[in-house]
Amino acid sequence: MEKKMYWSINRREVRRYLGYGNKDADEMVNRLIEDSICQLEEVVYPKATYQVYPLKCGNDHWLDLTAFSVQSKNLTRNLSGCEEVILFAATLGIQADQLIGKISRKSMSQAVVMQAVAAAMIEAYCDSWQDKLQEIFREKGKYLRPRFSPGYGDFPLKFQEPFLQALNCPKKIGLTMTDTLLLVPSKSVTAVIGISKTDDKCHKKGCEECQKKDCFFRRDS
Amino acid sequence: MKTWKERLGKEWLFWDGGMGTILQEKGLKAGELPETWNINHADIIRSLHKRYLEAGADIINTNTFGANRLKYKENGPYSLKSIIESGISLAKQAREETGRSDAFIALDIGPTGKLLKPMGDMEFEDAYEIFKEIIIIGKEAGADLVLIETMSDTYEMKAAVLAAKENSDLPVVATMIFGENKKLLTGADPAAVVALLEGLSVDALGINCGLGPVQMKEIVGELLEYASIPVVVNPNAGLPRREGEKTVFDVAPEEFAQVMGEIAGMGVSVLGGCCGTTPAHIQKLRKVCQDKPFIPVKKKNITMVSSYSHAVRIGKEPVIIGERINPTGKKKLKEALRTNDIDYILNEGFVQEEKGAHILDVNVGLPEIDEPVMMKNVITELQAVLDLPLQIDTSNVEAMERAMRCYNGKPMINSVNGKKEVMDAVFPLVKKYGGVVVGLALDEHGIPETAEGRIKIAEKIYAEAEKYGIERKDIVIDALAMTISSDHTSATVTLETLKKIRDDYHGNTILGVSNISFGLPRREYINAAFYIMAMQNGLSCAIMNPNSEEMMRAYHSYLALAGMDEQCSRYIDVYGGQDSIQKGPLHSSKEKVTLSTCIEKGLKERSGEATRYLIGEKDPLSIIDEELIPALDRVGKGFEKGTIFLPQLLMSAEAAKAAFDVLKQYMEQSGTVQEKKGKIILATVKGDIHDIGKNIVKVLLENYSYDVIDLGKDVPPEKIVQTALQQDVKLVGLSALMTTTVVNMEETIKQLHKEKPDTKIVVGGAVLTEEYAKAIGADCYAKDAMATVHYAQSVL
C-alpha cells in the first residue's frame, strides 16, 4: 500500500506558494498550514508510475523519447548526455481535489492554504520517488536529472496526451486530462527524468530553468 | 442448451483471463491501441479466444476494452464500428471452431479514460452517449452480454449501465477496480458499489483487475456480505512487480487457482482472470473449482442508500435525515432558491453534516421556480462537495427522474403513497435507477385514523412495488406523525403503526418527527420525547433538524440506552468534557475587541459579536461606511504593499462577511436597505476547471457590496453572454489558468464585445500578463483580487 506518508512537507515552499517569498507567516496562518497538512494526509491516496525508455537525440533539438518525439531546446539541455529517460507520473488522487473543493465553499482562507499545501505535497511525493529511483539507478552506476514536465519552457503542454497514454495513467494511477490538457486530479505531475552515466549535479530544478523571470512564485524572487 | 439466465447464479461459470498483457508479450507496443489487432492480427486474437475456450472458459471477452469514439475518432484510420464488429466476429469464429456453442460472448467495455464532472470535464450524458454507441454496435453484431469492467468511478459506471439497459436487452455484468485500501480511486467502498449496482438492476456485479486474488479476498467478502445478486471475481495474476524495465504479474496458475478455490468457497458465482492471467490459469482455476459444490446466491435483507463514497444502512441503527433543505416555512431558503443562491443551500448541507445528519433531504419545490431544473442543479452541486447520501423529495415526477438520473449513488426517494396513480408514476423510476422509496401510509381516502388502516395501505404499497420487482427492503413506510394538538391520541396511532411494521413485516419506517407538536408551545420538548418513543417502537429513519440540540441529545441518549453505543463511547465523544469548555475561553473573549481589529486580524468568530456591540451605538449603514469598509481598505493596502498576505486578506474578508451577516439580519428587521453597488459576473472560462482564483475574487467583491453572479467553472462563452444580456451586467470577470484555456477566454471576450459592447471585461489567471490580456481584447488585467476590486470601483 502507498499509504502512509514518507514525505516531509516543506513549509517554506507552502508559504512561497502563498506569496510570502522567504518571509514567515503569522501564527494563525502557520496553524492553518499545519491543520491543512493533517486534513490532506488523512484523505489523500497518492500513486505514481514510471517507465524507462531509450532516448535518441537528433538535430535541431529533436528528441526521440520512444513514446513520443519532441522538439525542445530546454528539454534537450536538461537531457544532454543522457541515453535513457524515465517517463514519470504521480498524483495525490481525486480526494485532494474533493477536499479543497469542499473547503473552498466553507472558507476561502483555508482553501488557499490547503491548495498551497497540496501543491507542496505532490512535490514532496515526487521528490520521495525521485530519491527512490535514484537509489535503484545508482546501483547500476547511473544518475538521474531533475524532473522536467510538459509545459516547462518550450516543452509543449500537448505532450501530456502521449505521456498519459504511454504510461496508461488513467487505469494505473487514475490520472486523466481534460480536452484542454489540464491534469485531473489537479495535484498531479508528469515529468521526464533523464538518466545519465555521469553524476551531473549542476542542473537546476524547473523553477530556475524557467524563462518567465517576472513570475510571482519564482523561487528566488 | 441452457441460456445465460438459466446458468448465472445456478452453477459455476468461468470467465476468460488476460488479453492486453498477452498481446504485449506478442509485440503490442507502448501506446499502440490493442483493438486494432482485431483487424491487423486477427489470427492472434482468434487463437487466443480459442485457447481460453479450450481451457474451459464459459465466457470470453471481445477485444474491445478501449474501443470508444475518443480513441477511434470519426476520421481516424479505423472506424469504431469495424473494430467492434471484427472483435465480436473473431470471438464467434473461435466459439464455432472449438465447438463450444455453450459459451457466451461478452462485449467488453472499459472506462473512457476521462473523469466526469464535477472533477473532470466530461458530462455524464456525454459519457452515456459514448457507451451507447458501443452497445448498439455490439448488440447488432451479436454479443450475448455486456461486461462493463475496470471502472474506478461509480458515476461513469452508472452512465455505462444506463446506456446498456436503455439501448439493449442484453444481460449486463458490472465489475469495478478496487485499490488495496478497499476503495475505488474515486472513493466508493464495496457497500456503496453494491448499493448502486443492485439499484441499477445489473445481472451480476464484482471486482476485476488492480489486485491479485489474495488481496481481493477481503473486498470479495464485503461484496458478498451485501450483494443479493451473483458476484464475479476476475483478479490479476498477483500484484504487478517490476522486473528490470518490465512489469510482470507472476502468480503461477497453480497458486492462482488455489486461492480462487478459496474465493469460490466464499459464495462467488463467476470466476476468471484479468491482467497477467493466461489460458493455463483459467484451466487450473476450472479444475480446482468445478467439482466444488456451487453455493447459491443468498438474498440479503439489507436496506442501503449510497453516495459516491459510502453507503448508509437503514434498519440497523436509527438514521438521521436532515430536513433543512426544504423551503416549507423557511424564508431564507425560499429567497436562496429564487435567487439561485447555491452557496446558501450548500451551507445548509454542511451545517447538517457537521451536526450529525446521515442523509440529507432535498426539496426545492416552490411555485414560481422550474423545479426539474432546480432539483437537478441542487443535487449536482450538493453531491460535488458533500458525501452524504441524498433524499430526493418531490412530488414532481419529472424533477424526480432528472434528479435520480444525475445522482451518483443509490438515492432515497420521498415519496410514494397508496394512491394508484402515484405508484404508477414513481415505481418504474425506482426500478430503473434504484432507490429506497418512502411510502406514505395514506391514499385516495386520506390518512387512516387507526394503525390498522395505515398498515393496510403499507401492505398495498409493498404489494404494488413487488409487481415491479422492487423488494420490501427498498420501501420505508412513513407511519405519519400528526399533531397531538388537534387529536390527543394521534401519537399512539403512529407509534402503534411503527411497531407493527417492525414486528409483523420486518419493515423499515420513517417519520417527519416534528409534525407531532404542531401548534404547541416549546415544541422541542414534545419532539424529543416523541422521537425517543418512536425509536423505541422501531423507527428506522427520522426526518428532523440535526441543528436542534434537544433532538440530538435524544438521539445520542437513545443509542446509549438501547445498547447501540458500546461503552457509551459515542455519547462520551459528543458530550464528555463539555462543562469545562463552556467555562473557559468564552469568558476571556468577552474582553472587548473592536470591529476594526476583528477585521484587520481576521477574527471571524469574534467579529459578529463586535458588530452586535456596535449596533447599540451606531446605525448599520454608518457601521459599514465608518468601520467595515475603512478596515477592509487598510487590509487591502497592506496586501498591495506586501505586508499582508493572501491568507490574511481572506481571513479579514471572512471576518467582514460575518459582520455583514449580523448587520444584514438587523437591517432586515428594521427595514433598512443597503444598496448593492452593481452586478458583476464571475466565471472560469470553458475548458478550465480550476476556480480557486475566481473564488478569491468573489469573496472580496462581495465584501465591497457588489452583487456577484458566480457562473462557476468551465463556463461556455454563450452562457456568459446570455447572462450579461439578460441581467444587463456591466462588468464581467473571467479567469483562466492555462494557455490552452486562454483561447476560450479570448472567444468569450469576442462574443461579449459583439453582443454587449457596453460591458467591461476584467481578466486574471496564472498565465496572463498585462500584454497578453490586451492582446485578447480584455479591458483590464487584474494581477490579484484587490486589483479587480479597484477596477470595479472605477467602472461601476
Side-chain angles (χ1 to χ4, degrees):
Chain A
M1 263 216 272
E2 287 285 357
K3 270 202 162 174
K4 249 349 218 186
M5 315 307 167
Y6 5 77
W7 53 46
S8 71
I9 306 302
N10 186 338
R11 271 74 172 170
R12 233 186 85 180
E13 200 77 344
V14 173
R15 290 193 294 266
R16 185 170 71 81
Y17 294 148
L18 289 169
Y20 282 84
N22 287 326
K23 297 192 194 85
D24 198 0
D26 64 19
E27 196 201 323
M28 268 168 81
V29 172
N30 280 330
R31 224 182 310 143
L32 265 186
I33 292 174
E34 296 311 315
D35 182 45
S36 298
I37 292 172
C38 289
Q39 284 197 49
L40 276 164
E41 285 188 345
E42 182 104 341
V43 300
V44 296
Y45 199 69
K47 281 174 181 279
T49 185
Y50 70 94
Q51 205 58 251
V52 180
Y53 294 102
L55 168 73
K56 280 184 226 130
C57 302
N59 297 327
D60 294 334
H61 309 113
W62 271 102
L63 296 164
D64 178 359
L65 287 81
T66 314
F68 54 86
S69 292
V70 56
Q71 188 179 25
S72 161
K73 211 165 142 181
N74 299 121
L75 184 57
T76 300
R77 207 163 59 168
N78 178 279
L79 295 178
S80 70
C82 298
E83 284 161 17
E84 288 173 301
V85 289
I86 298 171
L87 296 192
F88 172 80
T91 177
L92 285 189
I94 203 69
Q95 283 71 19
D97 288 352
Q98 285 167 338
L99 181 61
I100 294 169
K102 180 173 183 175
I103 297 291
S104 70
R105 293 287 190 164
K106 293 183 170 184
S107 159
M108 276 311 292
S109 57
Q110 172 135 36
V112 297
V113 170
M114 194 170 274
Q115 160 94 356
V117 165
M121 200 169 262
I122 183 66
E123 282 305 313
Y125 181 61
C126 290
D127 287 344
S128 76
W129 264 93
Q130 181 116 10
D131 291 346
K132 206 157 41 178
L133 291 170
Q134 181 63 75
E135 282 303 304
I136 296 170
F137 283 91
R138 207 194 309 274
E139 283 171 23
K140 302 176 191 164
K142 292 176 182 176
Y143 301 89
L144 301 187
R145 294 289 165 82
R147 297 188 293 277
F148 204 93
S149 299
Y152 280 14
D154 64 349
F155 182 14
L157 205 58
K158 69 172 186 203
F159 285 93
Q160 299 289 26
E161 187 168 14
F163 212 120
L164 296 193
Q165 201 173 339
L167 294 179
N168 200 2
C169 286
K171 185 174 157 188
K172 280 203 176 136
I173 60 171
L175 173 56
T176 69
M177 58 173 218
T178 65
D179 296 341
T180 45
L181 309 175
L182 305 182
L183 294 179
V184 194
S186 67
K187 293 296 173 272
S188 302
V189 166
T190 56
V192 176
I193 304 171
I195 306 174
S196 85
K197 287 183 180 147
T198 53
D199 191 3
D200 203 352
K201 282 196 180 123
C202 67
H203 281 273
K204 294 170 183 167
K205 272 192 145 187
C207 199
E208 288 75 9
E209 179 78 355
C210 180
Q211 296 307 303
K212 193 169 158 53
K213 299 267 196 284
D214 60 346
C215 175
F216 175 65
F217 299 103
R218 198 173 172 90
R219 222 182 304 265
D220 52 7
S221 70
Chain B
M1 200 141 341
K2 282 195 204 163
T3 63
W4 169 259
K5 271 217 156 65
E6 287 162 344
R7 294 180 70 186
L8 176 70
K10 317 242 170 18
E11 58 180 90
W12 295 118
L13 282 174
F14 299 96
W15 219 295
D16 68 4
M19 168 73 77
T21 39
I22 292 180
L23 299 190
Q24 275 163 20
E25 273 171 32
K26 295 198 181 285
L28 182 79
K29 294 190 210 75
E32 186 183 355
L33 297 173
E35 300 80 19
T36 58
W37 283 37
N38 291 346
I39 290 163
N40 300 331
H41 302 281
D43 293 351
I44 296 178
I45 302 298
R46 185 171 40 230
S47 102
L48 182 56
H49 285 323
K50 282 165 76 174
R51 284 171 58 209
Y52 274 123
L53 288 166
E54 283 156 4
D58 301 306
I59 310 155
I60 52 171
N61 284 334
T62 56
N63 179 32
T64 52
F65 179 83
N68 60 54
R69 70 164 75 139
L70 298 178
K71 290 182 187 125
Y72 295 88
K73 299 193 171 91
E74 216 169 316
N75 301 317
Y78 301 92
S79 84
L80 180 62
K81 192 157 185 277
S82 67
I83 291 283
I84 296 173
E85 283 176 348
S86 58
I88 290 178
S89 156
L90 290 170
K92 278 187 178 167
Q93 288 165 28
R95 178 166 66 181
E96 217 171 281
E97 289 170 25
T98 49
R100 284 289 311 277
S101 52
D102 61 308
F104 302 100
I105 293 169
L107 172 67
D108 188 21
I109 300 178
T112 59
K114 303 265 295 176
L115 264 175
L116 270 63
K117 286 181 178 186
M119 289 305 148
D121 65 339
M122 186 184 275
E123 292 285 354
F124 179 81
E125 290 300 334
D126 289 342
Y128 172 90
E129 289 298 326
I130 287 172
F131 294 120
K132 176 181 168 180
E133 185 180 16
I134 302 164
I135 284 151
I136 290 175
I137 299 170
K139 172 187 74 174
E140 280 167 8
D144 299 318
L145 65 133
V146 176
L147 170 68
I148 306 161
E149 63 160 328
T150 328
M151 289 282 179
S152 58
D153 179 8
T154 48
Y155 210 26
E156 187 177 5
M157 180 55 108
K158 177 167 176 173
V161 172
L162 283 177
K165 292 252 163 202
E166 289 179 355
N167 298 286
S168 81
D169 45 17
L170 296 176
V172 179
V173 177
T175 63
M176 309 211 66
I177 174 168
F178 286 83
E180 283 180 89
N181 59 348
K182 300 196 278 175
K183 286 180 179 176
L184 306 185
L185 276 174
T186 47
D189 59 21
V193 166
V194 173
L196 174 86
L197 291 174
E198 280 198 351
L200 289 169
S201 303
V202 299
D203 294 81
L205 62 82
I207 174 173
N208 78 293
C209 206
L211 305 169
V214 173
Q215 299 81 25
M216 275 190 186
K217 260 183 151 177
E218 256 186 82
I219 302 167
V220 172
E222 281 190 47
L223 292 173
L224 287 165
E225 185 184 338
Y226 301 109
S228 297
I229 58 174
V231 169
V232 180
V233 180
N234 291 334
N236 291 344
L239 287 176
R241 202 172 55 76
R242 208 169 263 278
E243 203 168 74
E245 307 320 338
K246 270 174 61 183
T247 302
V248 294
F249 299 89
D250 52 6
V251 173
E254 292 73 16
E255 191 188 340
F256 180 84
Q258 185 223 322
V259 186
M260 288 300 273
E262 293 164 23
I263 288 177
M266 294 166 73
V268 164
S269 300
V270 189
L271 303 116
C274 199
C275 301
T277 60
T278 62
H281 287 83
I282 302 304
Q283 190 173 25
K284 290 273 187 240
L285 160 67
R286 183 167 187 126
K287 205 172 149 209
V288 167
C289 298
Q290 66 183 0
D291 296 328
K292 284 179 185 283
F294 180 79
I295 302 168
V297 181
K298 282 193 208 80
K299 288 257 178 225
K300 320 289 188 303
N301 192 26
I302 296 175
T303 304
M304 290 193 292
V305 290
S306 68
S307 67
Y308 73 84
S309 77
H310 68 281
V312 168
R313 194 162 164 181
I314 293 168
K316 207 173 162 194
E317 266 183 20
V319 168
I320 297 170
I321 303 178
E323 68 179 6
R324 296 292 302 166
I325 305 177
N326 183 332
T328 313
K330 299 184 194 80
K331 205 176 137 206
K332 278 191 177 165
L333 185 67
K334 280 184 187 158
E335 184 58 24
L337 287 169
R338 282 192 203 106
T339 56
N340 204 18
D341 183 357
I342 294 292
D343 285 344
Y344 181 86
I345 299 168
L346 293 184
N347 193 50
E348 286 289 328
F350 290 141
V351 172
Q352 293 182 89
E353 181 192 36
E354 271 161 29
K355 298 285 181 180
H358 305 113
I359 297 171
L360 297 182
D361 184 79
V362 183
N363 182 319
V364 298
L366 271 187
E368 62 269 39
I369 64 162
D370 183 342
E371 194 181 341
V373 170
M374 180 57 82
M375 181 61 109
K376 183 180 172 192
N377 190 15
V378 170
I379 295 276
T380 306
E381 295 277 356
L382 279 169
Q383 70 181 359
V385 292
L386 269 165
D387 68 356
L388 296 184
L390 301 178
Q391 169 162 282
I392 299 163
D393 181 0
T394 177
S395 54
N396 180 323
V397 176
E398 194 194 340
M400 189 183 279
E401 171 152 27
R402 282 212 210 172
M404 289 173 86
R405 192 171 182 90
C406 78
Y407 183 66
N408 186 1
K410 181 181 183 184
M412 193 130 178
I413 308 297
N414 193 1
S415 60
V416 294
N417 54 49
K419 291 180 192 163
K420 182 80 170 55
E421 58 178 78
V422 174
M423 291 192 283
D424 287 350
V426 172
F427 281 147
L429 298 180
V430 176
K431 179 62 194 164
K432 179 174 175 185
Y433 295 105
V436 170
V437 61
V438 175
L440 307 177
L442 60 88
D443 65 7
E444 291 87 352
H445 310 294
I447 300 170
E449 279 173 19
T450 62
E452 288 72 24
R454 293 183 195 183
I455 294 293
K456 267 215 173 97
I457 295 178
E459 273 179 353
K460 185 161 77 174
I461 295 172
Y462 282 147
E464 187 67 18
E466 210 178 319
K467 290 185 197 159
Y468 292 86
I470 300 165
E471 292 182 51
R472 186 173 294 186
K473 70 172 183 184
D474 284 332
I475 308 279
V476 175
I477 297 295
D478 190 329
L480 301 175
M482 312 293 290
T483 179
I484 49 169
S485 65
S486 58
D487 173 1
H488 70 283
T489 63
S490 77
T492 55
V493 172
T494 306
L495 294 170
E496 205 186 325
T497 311
L498 292 177
K499 195 166 182 299
K500 275 189 192 299
I501 295 284
R502 179 189 63 190
D503 296 343
D504 301 347
Y505 298 84
H506 307 293
N508 291 310
T509 47
I510 188 168
L511 284 177
V513 177
S514 60
N515 293 341
I516 203 72
S517 62
F518 195 79
L520 291 174
R522 302 316 296 253
R523 291 181 62 184
E524 63 274 21
Y525 296 175
I526 298 283
N527 292 348
F530 177 62
Y531 182 31
I532 292 179
M533 293 169 83
M535 286 188 281
Q536 179 68 7
N537 281 281
L539 180 69
S540 327
C541 313
I543 304 181
M544 60 180 244
N545 180 5
N547 306 337
S548 155
E549 242 335 289
E550 285 78 5
M551 292 296 278
M552 292 311 288
R553 277 182 201 140
Y555 168 79
H556 287 294
S557 307
Y558 176 81
L559 289 191
L561 291 164
M564 295 178 182
D565 186 1
E566 219 172 298
Q567 293 171 326
C568 301
S569 62
R570 283 192 279 178
Y571 184 87
I572 293 167
D573 261 2
V574 179
Y575 299 111
Q578 270 204 345
D579 299 343
S580 56
I581 290 172
Q582 282 184 355
K583 280 175 204 151
L586 254 178
H587 285 290
S588 65
S589 76
K590 286 287 179 211
E591 72 187 62
K592 210 180 129 220
V593 183
T594 65
L595 180 57
S596 308
T597 312
C598 287
I599 290 169
E600 287 178 54
K601 300 256 178 232
L603 307 173
K604 183 160 66 171
E605 283 76 20
R606 297 175 72 175
S607 76
E609 192 187 321
T611 310
R612 261 175 238 117
Y613 184 81
L614 266 185
I615 287 174
E617 299 175 0
K618 287 183 178 185
D619 69 281
L621 291 176
S622 312
I623 296 174
I624 293 174
D625 292 339
E626 291 162 24
E627 302 280 334
L628 264 168
I629 298 293
L632 277 173
D633 283 341
R634 281 193 294 278
V635 174
K637 285 219 176 72
F639 176 70
E640 284 161 336
K641 273 198 302 199
T643 53
I644 283 173
F645 299 92
L646 185 60
Q648 294 164 295
L649 177 71
L650 289 165
M651 284 185 203
S652 294
E654 284 157 7
K657 185 173 182 301
F660 274 120
D661 287 347
V662 171
L663 291 172
K664 216 167 118 188
Q665 213 175 357
Y666 182 79
M667 287 191 285
E668 264 166 27
Q669 283 162 6
S670 65
T672 324
V673 184
Q674 192 212 356
E675 290 289 320
K676 287 269 184 187
K677 282 195 194 136
K679 287 180 182 169
I680 302 175
I681 290 175
L682 289 183
T684 300
V685 299
K686 185 172 157 55
D688 209 316
I689 52 171
H690 296 253
D691 58 356
I692 205 145
K694 180 223 38 168
N695 293 339
I696 293 169
V697 173
K698 178 182 171 185
V699 169
L700 289 184
L701 285 173
E702 285 181 339
N703 262 194
Y704 281 88
S705 303
Y706 291 102
D707 186 1
V708 176
I709 304 166
D710 180 4
L711 294 181
K713 59 187 181 181
D714 195 6
V715 187
E718 298 73 25
K719 185 171 175 187
I720 298 170
V721 172
Q722 197 192 357
T723 312
L725 283 169
Q726 270 170 2
Q727 306 201 34
D728 190 23
V729 180
K730 295 285 196 293
L731 179 59
V732 171
L734 301 174
S735 118
L737 184 80
M738 307 281 261
T739 45
T740 46
T741 54
V742 172
V743 289
N744 294 330
M745 181 179 264
E746 188 173 6
E747 174 61 26
T748 310
I749 295 173
K750 217 167 79 187
Q751 290 192 22
L752 266 171
H753 279 333
K754 188 171 158 233
E755 304 289 334
K756 199 161 184 321
D758 64 329
T759 292
K760 298 282 185 206
I761 301 160
V762 53
V763 299
V767 293
L768 286 169
T769 60
E770 189 86 54
E771 303 88 73
Y772 204 172
K774 213 169 270 171
I776 59 171
D779 297 297
C780 172
Y781 163 69
K783 69 175 172 57
D784 56 41
M786 281 312 293
T788 314
V789 170
H790 293 322
Y791 186 66
Q793 287 171 330
S794 73
V795 298
L796 288 182

